[in-house]
């Protein structure tokens, strides 16, 4: 294809895409909320209405998303072809990482995601947890080592969310992943991971089961997993973050990142390497900075909040791939 033709195709493509975008935007412009039915609060009705709207439009939305994916794929292929035609090296950003790592090794550890905390989360947090579980599955497929992962207490809203909205992912067939409604946790050769303990996890040992709390709580429920583990007589450990990153205090990560870190650890059995790869210092500095700004801003406008509430704001304001669930007690520089 000549570059003139491809430029023209690209510009045709762009204008047709922007037209489509306008159509979609028109369609998805929020509908005014119909009158609240008797016996329902406004916020209950908003939820019901939003779900109804979603049910009505989700098929169309999925179709648009599929089309967008196909367009992106074709455009990427066309770009690669242009580089090939010119005999140039294909830039790294166009080379996709394979979805599945075919030379993966078994780490020998088991991971349990303890999801017994449904009642302590709001709807949004249950959705966030379900997305974290799908990301954990994806890491478990792509990292150089995998673990056997069991999601326990898979019932209530989490199960509903998977069965209703994520059924296309065929999660019951995921390799090295198991879902069970059982809430029973193993206790033999088991360690419960929690940021709330004083004991540090020095290494990961094959043959051991590591339990990760399956909860998104933005630090509302401190000591939750720690107390549960103690009641069950399961030893607790925290990741050795403080030894390698420049933050003090409790560092609460998301369940997914704890899992990714554990898998990455097996590359060279080296925590430092894993932290540096997955928790870039830049990201951690950003987190520390925004936390301090948040504290100052709220103090300045007289809406002073507790540190954990600021940590919640922080989690909402940083990008979705951030590893940090909450950071408290960040020292002043
Ligand atoms: C968002 S945290 C949940 C925080 C919750 N309040 C609790 O009591 O654990 C999700 C899970 O990730 C794991 N986790 C997070 N940060 C950790 C750390 N620094 N060390 C070890 N495990 C951690 C724990 O298993 C934790 O339950």
């Amino acid at each position: 294809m000549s570059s003139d033709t491809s430029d023209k195709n690209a510009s045709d493509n762009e204008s047709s895409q922007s037209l489509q975008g306008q159509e979609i935007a028109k369609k998805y412009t929020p509908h005014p909320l119909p009158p609240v039915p008797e016996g329902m609060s406004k916020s209950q009705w908003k939820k019901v209405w939003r779900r109804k709207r979603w049910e009505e439009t989700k098929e169309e939305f999925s179709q648009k998303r599929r089309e967008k994916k196909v367009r992106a794929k074709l455009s990427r292929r066309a770009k690669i072809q242009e580089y090939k035609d010119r005999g140039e090296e294909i830039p790294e950003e166009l080379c996709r990482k394979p979805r599945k790592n075919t030379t993966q090794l078994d780490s020998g550890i088991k991971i349990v995601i303890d999801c017994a905390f449904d009642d302590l989360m709001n709807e949004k947090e249950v959705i966030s947890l379900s997305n974290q579980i799908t990301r954990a599955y994806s890491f478990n497929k792509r990292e150089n080592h995998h673990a056997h992962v069991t999601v326990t207490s898979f019932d209530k809203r989490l199960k509903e969310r998977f069965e209703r909205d994520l059924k296309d992912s065929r999660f019951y067939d995921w390799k090295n992943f198991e879902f069970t409604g059982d809430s029973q946790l193993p206790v033999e050769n088991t360690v419960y991971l929690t940021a709330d303990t004083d004991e540090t996890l020095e290494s990961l040992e094959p043959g051991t089961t590591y339990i990760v709390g399956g909860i998104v709580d933005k630090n509302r429920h401190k000591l939750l997993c720690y107390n549960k583990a103690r009641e069950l007589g399961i030893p607790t450990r925290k990741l050795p973050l403080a030894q390698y990153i420049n933050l003090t205090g409790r560092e609460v990560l998301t369940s997914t990142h704890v899992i990714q870190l554990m898998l990455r650890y097996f590359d060279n059995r080296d925590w430092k390497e894993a932290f540096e790869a997955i928790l870039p210092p830049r990201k951690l500095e950003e987190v520390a900075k925004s936390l301090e700004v948040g504290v100052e801003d709220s103090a300045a406008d007289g809406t002073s909040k507790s540190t954990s509430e600021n940590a919640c704001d922080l989690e909402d304001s940083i990008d979705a791939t951030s590893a940090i669930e909450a950071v408290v007690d960040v020292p002043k520089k």
Side-chain angles (χ1 to χ4, degrees), residues 220-235:
R220 276 194 312 276
H221 304 288
K222 291 190 188 106
L223 297 174
L224 179 73
C225 295
Y226 176 75
N227 287 337
K228 178 169 184 178
R230 279 188 56 132
E231 273 165 31
L232 294 170
I234 303 173

PDB file of all heavy atoms in Angstrom, residues 220-235:
ATOM      1  N   ARG A 220     -10.556   0.759  55.364  1.00  0.00           N
ATOM      2  CA  ARG A 220     -11.588   0.965  56.389  1.00  0.00           C
ATOM      3  C   ARG A 220     -11.497  -0.088  57.484  1.00  0.00           C
ATOM      4  O   ARG A 220     -11.780   0.168  58.626  1.00  0.00           O
ATOM      5  CB  ARG A 220     -12.985   0.851  55.753  1.00  0.00           C
ATOM      6  CG  ARG A 220     -13.514   2.068  55.101  1.00  0.00           C
ATOM      7  CD  ARG A 220     -15.006   1.906  54.841  1.00  0.00           C
ATOM      8  NE  ARG A 220     -15.390   0.659  54.230  1.00  0.00           N
ATOM      9  CZ  ARG A 220     -15.356   0.399  52.928  1.00  0.00           C
ATOM     10  NH1 ARG A 220     -14.918   1.321  52.086  1.00  0.00           N
ATOM     11  NH2 ARG A 220     -15.733  -0.771  52.444  1.00  0.00           N
ATOM     12  N   HIS A 221     -11.138  -1.308  57.063  1.00  0.00           N
ATOM     13  CA  HIS A 221     -11.166  -2.414  58.025  1.00  0.00           C
ATOM     14  C   HIS A 221      -9.756  -2.863  58.379  1.00  0.00           C
ATOM     15  O   HIS A 221      -9.290  -3.910  57.938  1.00  0.00           O
ATOM     16  CB  HIS A 221     -11.983  -3.575  57.444  1.00  0.00           C
ATOM     17  CG  HIS A 221     -13.364  -3.169  57.064  1.00  0.00           C
ATOM     18  ND1 HIS A 221     -14.329  -2.887  57.993  1.00  0.00           N
ATOM     19  CD2 HIS A 221     -13.920  -2.948  55.856  1.00  0.00           C
ATOM     20  CE1 HIS A 221     -15.436  -2.527  57.378  1.00  0.00           C
ATOM     21  NE2 HIS A 221     -15.214  -2.551  56.075  1.00  0.00           N
ATOM     22  N   LYS A 222      -9.119  -2.036  59.170  1.00  0.00           N
ATOM     23  CA  LYS A 222      -7.748  -2.372  59.576  1.00  0.00           C
ATOM     24  C   LYS A 222      -7.787  -3.632  60.435  1.00  0.00           C
ATOM     25  O   LYS A 222      -8.766  -3.871  61.140  1.00  0.00           O
ATOM     26  CB  LYS A 222      -7.175  -1.226  60.398  1.00  0.00           C
ATOM     27  CG  LYS A 222      -6.937   0.004  59.562  1.00  0.00           C
ATOM     28  CD  LYS A 222      -6.146   1.027  60.358  1.00  0.00           C
ATOM     29  CE  LYS A 222      -6.100   2.308  59.583  1.00  0.00           C
ATOM     30  NZ  LYS A 222      -6.951   3.334  60.132  1.00  0.00           N
ATOM     31  N   LEU A 223      -6.739  -4.407  60.367  1.00  0.00           N
ATOM     32  CA  LEU A 223      -6.554  -5.613  61.187  1.00  0.00           C
ATOM     33  C   LEU A 223      -7.565  -6.722  60.868  1.00  0.00           C
ATOM     34  O   LEU A 223      -7.612  -7.722  61.570  1.00  0.00           O
ATOM     35  CB  LEU A 223      -6.657  -5.275  62.689  1.00  0.00           C
ATOM     36  CG  LEU A 223      -5.611  -4.315  63.243  1.00  0.00           C
ATOM     37  CD1 LEU A 223      -5.933  -3.961  64.694  1.00  0.00           C
ATOM     38  CD2 LEU A 223      -4.217  -4.919  63.163  1.00  0.00           C
ATOM     39  N   LEU A 224      -8.359  -6.538  59.845  1.00  0.00           N
ATOM     40  CA  LEU A 224      -9.396  -7.526  59.528  1.00  0.00           C
ATOM     41  C   LEU A 224      -8.790  -8.914  59.283  1.00  0.00           C
ATOM     42  O   LEU A 224      -9.141  -9.890  59.956  1.00  0.00           O
ATOM     43  CB  LEU A 224     -10.176  -7.051  58.287  1.00  0.00           C
ATOM     44  CG  LEU A 224     -11.284  -7.955  57.800  1.00  0.00           C
ATOM     45  CD1 LEU A 224     -12.471  -7.874  58.743  1.00  0.00           C
ATOM     46  CD2 LEU A 224     -11.726  -7.540  56.388  1.00  0.00           C
ATOM     47  N   CYS A 225      -7.860  -8.973  58.325  1.00  0.00           N
ATOM     48  CA  CYS A 225      -7.287 -10.274  57.987  1.00  0.00           C
ATOM     49  C   CYS A 225      -6.340 -10.751  59.087  1.00  0.00           C
ATOM     50  O   CYS A 225      -6.235 -11.947  59.358  1.00  0.00           O
ATOM     51  CB  CYS A 225      -6.569 -10.194  56.639  1.00  0.00           C
ATOM     52  SG  CYS A 225      -7.729  -9.864  55.306  1.00  0.00           S
ATOM     53  N   TYR A 226      -5.663  -9.809  59.697  1.00  0.00           N
ATOM     54  CA  TYR A 226      -4.744 -10.155  60.779  1.00  0.00           C
ATOM     55  C   TYR A 226      -5.518 -10.871  61.893  1.00  0.00           C
ATOM     56  O   TYR A 226      -5.128 -11.947  62.351  1.00  0.00           O
ATOM     57  CB  TYR A 226      -4.080  -8.874  61.300  1.00  0.00           C
ATOM     58  CG  TYR A 226      -3.189  -9.099  62.482  1.00  0.00           C
ATOM     59  CD1 TYR A 226      -1.930  -9.678  62.321  1.00  0.00           C
ATOM     60  CD2 TYR A 226      -3.604  -8.748  63.771  1.00  0.00           C
ATOM     61  CE1 TYR A 226      -1.107  -9.904  63.415  1.00  0.00           C
ATOM     62  CE2 TYR A 226      -2.788  -8.969  64.861  1.00  0.00           C
ATOM     63  CZ  TYR A 226      -1.546  -9.548  64.680  1.00  0.00           C
ATOM     64  OH  TYR A 226      -0.734  -9.776  65.765  1.00  0.00           O
ATOM     65  N   ASN A 227      -6.641 -10.259  62.314  1.00  0.00           N
ATOM     66  CA  ASN A 227      -7.428 -10.874  63.389  1.00  0.00           C
ATOM     67  C   ASN A 227      -8.019 -12.213  62.974  1.00  0.00           C
ATOM     68  O   ASN A 227      -8.059 -13.156  63.758  1.00  0.00           O
ATOM     69  CB  ASN A 227      -8.553  -9.925  63.833  1.00  0.00           C
ATOM     70  CG  ASN A 227      -7.990  -8.760  64.638  1.00  0.00           C
ATOM     71  OD1 ASN A 227      -6.900  -8.866  65.204  1.00  0.00           O
ATOM     72  ND2 ASN A 227      -8.699  -7.649  64.667  1.00  0.00           N
ATOM     73  N   LYS A 228      -8.445 -12.299  61.725  1.00  0.00           N
ATOM     74  CA  LYS A 228      -9.022 -13.567  61.254  1.00  0.00           C
ATOM     75  C   LYS A 228      -7.955 -14.673  61.313  1.00  0.00           C
ATOM     76  O   LYS A 228      -8.225 -15.785  61.796  1.00  0.00           O
ATOM     77  CB  LYS A 228      -9.545 -13.401  59.814  1.00  0.00           C
ATOM     78  CG  LYS A 228     -10.099 -14.671  59.239  1.00  0.00           C
ATOM     79  CD  LYS A 228     -10.841 -14.471  57.946  1.00  0.00           C
ATOM     80  CE  LYS A 228     -11.442 -15.801  57.486  1.00  0.00           C
ATOM     81  NZ  LYS A 228     -12.216 -15.671  56.270  1.00  0.00           N
ATOM     82  N   ALA A 229      -6.757 -14.349  60.814  1.00  0.00           N
ATOM     83  CA  ALA A 229      -5.680 -15.343  60.813  1.00  0.00           C
ATOM     84  C   ALA A 229      -5.354 -15.779  62.237  1.00  0.00           C
ATOM     85  O   ALA A 229      -5.167 -16.969  62.513  1.00  0.00           O
ATOM     86  CB  ALA A 229      -4.454 -14.756  60.132  1.00  0.00           C
ATOM     87  N   ARG A 230      -5.302 -14.823  63.127  1.00  0.00           N
ATOM     88  CA  ARG A 230      -4.980 -15.156  64.533  1.00  0.00           C
ATOM     89  C   ARG A 230      -6.037 -16.084  65.121  1.00  0.00           C
ATOM     90  O   ARG A 230      -5.722 -17.052  65.803  1.00  0.00           O
ATOM     91  CB  ARG A 230      -4.866 -13.881  65.354  1.00  0.00           C
ATOM     92  CG  ARG A 230      -3.491 -13.243  65.163  1.00  0.00           C
ATOM     93  CD  ARG A 230      -3.300 -12.114  66.089  1.00  0.00           C
ATOM     94  NE  ARG A 230      -3.492 -12.544  67.479  1.00  0.00           N
ATOM     95  CZ  ARG A 230      -2.681 -12.265  68.470  1.00  0.00           C
ATOM     96  NH1 ARG A 230      -1.592 -11.579  68.224  1.00  0.00           N
ATOM     97  NH2 ARG A 230      -2.939 -12.644  69.697  1.00  0.00           N
ATOM     98  N   GLU A 231      -7.304 -15.769  64.846  1.00  0.00           N
ATOM     99  CA  GLU A 231      -8.379 -16.633  65.360  1.00  0.00           C
ATOM    100  C   GLU A 231      -8.251 -18.050  64.841  1.00  0.00           C
ATOM    101  O   GLU A 231      -8.544 -19.018  65.531  1.00  0.00           O
ATOM    102  CB  GLU A 231      -9.745 -16.083  64.948  1.00  0.00           C
ATOM    103  CG  GLU A 231     -10.279 -15.050  65.931  1.00  0.00           C
ATOM    104  CD  GLU A 231     -11.425 -14.256  65.349  1.00  0.00           C
ATOM    105  OE1 GLU A 231     -12.182 -14.812  64.526  1.00  0.00           O
ATOM    106  OE2 GLU A 231     -11.550 -13.067  65.703  1.00  0.00           O
ATOM    107  N   LEU A 232      -7.801 -18.176  63.580  1.00  0.00           N
ATOM    108  CA  LEU A 232      -7.683 -19.509  62.983  1.00  0.00           C
ATOM    109  C   LEU A 232      -6.333 -20.164  63.300  1.00  0.00           C
ATOM    110  O   LEU A 232      -6.060 -21.281  62.876  1.00  0.00           O
ATOM    111  CB  LEU A 232      -7.852 -19.427  61.460  1.00  0.00           C
ATOM    112  CG  LEU A 232      -9.235 -18.993  60.957  1.00  0.00           C
ATOM    113  CD1 LEU A 232      -9.204 -18.713  59.467  1.00  0.00           C
ATOM    114  CD2 LEU A 232     -10.267 -20.088  61.262  1.00  0.00           C
ATOM    115  N   GLY A 233      -5.471 -19.437  63.979  1.00  0.00           N
ATOM    116  CA  GLY A 233      -4.151 -19.974  64.317  1.00  0.00           C
ATOM    117  C   GLY A 233      -3.228 -20.043  63.106  1.00  0.00           C
ATOM    118  O   GLY A 233      -2.308 -20.874  63.067  1.00  0.00           O
ATOM    119  N   ILE A 234      -3.451 -19.194  62.124  1.00  0.00           N
ATOM    120  CA  ILE A 234      -2.581 -19.189  60.930  1.00  0.00           C
ATOM    121  C   ILE A 234      -1.524 -18.086  61.090  1.00  0.00           C
ATOM    122  O   ILE A 234      -1.874 -16.937  61.384  1.00  0.00           O
ATOM    123  CB  ILE A 234      -3.411 -18.920  59.641  1.00  0.00           C
ATOM    124  CG1 ILE A 234      -4.524 -19.951  59.496  1.00  0.00           C
ATOM    125  CG2 ILE A 234      -2.517 -18.893  58.407  1.00  0.00           C
ATOM    126  CD1 ILE A 234      -5.493 -19.676  58.346  1.00  0.00           C
ATOM    127  N   PRO A 235      -0.239 -18.428  60.909  1.00  0.00           N
ATOM    128  CA  PRO A 235       0.797 -17.391  61.037  1.00  0.00           C
ATOM    129  C   PRO A 235       0.616 -16.278  60.002  1.00  0.00           C
ATOM    130  O   PRO A 235       0.131 -16.532  58.890  1.00  0.00           O
ATOM    131  CB  PRO A 235       2.107 -18.146  60.794  1.00  0.00           C
ATOM    132  CG  PRO A 235       1.761 -19.530  60.468  1.00  0.00           C
ATOM    133  CD  PRO A 235       0.285 -19.737  60.577  1.00  0.00           C
TER     134      PRO A 235
END
